[in-house]
Amino acid sequence: MKVIVKTNKKDSKVVSYNKDTDTYIIELKSKPIDSKANIELLKLLSKYLKKNFMISSGHKSKIKILKEL
């Protein structure tokens, strides 16, 4: 699954999902410092999709690839 993250926003939410490319666009409150945005992303997605994920690539990028655990 591909995720495009926008940090330092007013609210944390899933903005949209493109079924053709399996890509989520997500806004997060956290700033990308000390992996806070990555942690918030994983918590938000596990709550939203009721599944656990890990970041397989893109730890320091706005575009991330996630794998389901």
Side-chain angles (χ1 to χ4, degrees):
M1 167 177 29
K2 186 176 178 182
V3 177
I4 300 172
V5 178
K6 298 178 181 182
T7 58
N8 204 22
K9 297 293 182 179
K10 187 175 180 180
D11 288 325
S12 296
K13 61 184 175 183
V14 176
V15 178
S16 65
Y17 173 68
N18 185 331
K19 199 176 210 178
D20 297 332
T21 59
D22 191 30
T23 303
Y24 286 89
I25 297 177
I26 298 176
E27 293 182 351
L28 301 172
K29 279 185 175 181
S30 299
K31 294 182 181 183
I33 299 171
D34 297 329
S35 295
K36 290 181 182 177
N38 288 339
I39 293 167
E40 185 179 351
L41 169 68
L42 294 174
K43 286 181 181 178
L44 179 70
L45 280 178
S46 67
K47 185 177 180 182
Y48 184 76
L49 297 174
K50 311 263 189 288
K51 299 177 184 176
N52 290 323
F53 295 94
M54 65 175 272
I55 299 173
S56 62
S57 69
H59 288 277
K60 294 186 177 187
S61 174
K62 291 183 179 193
I63 300 172
K64 302 178 186 305
I65 306 296
L66 303 179
K67 287 189 178 181
E68 187 179 337
L69 295 177

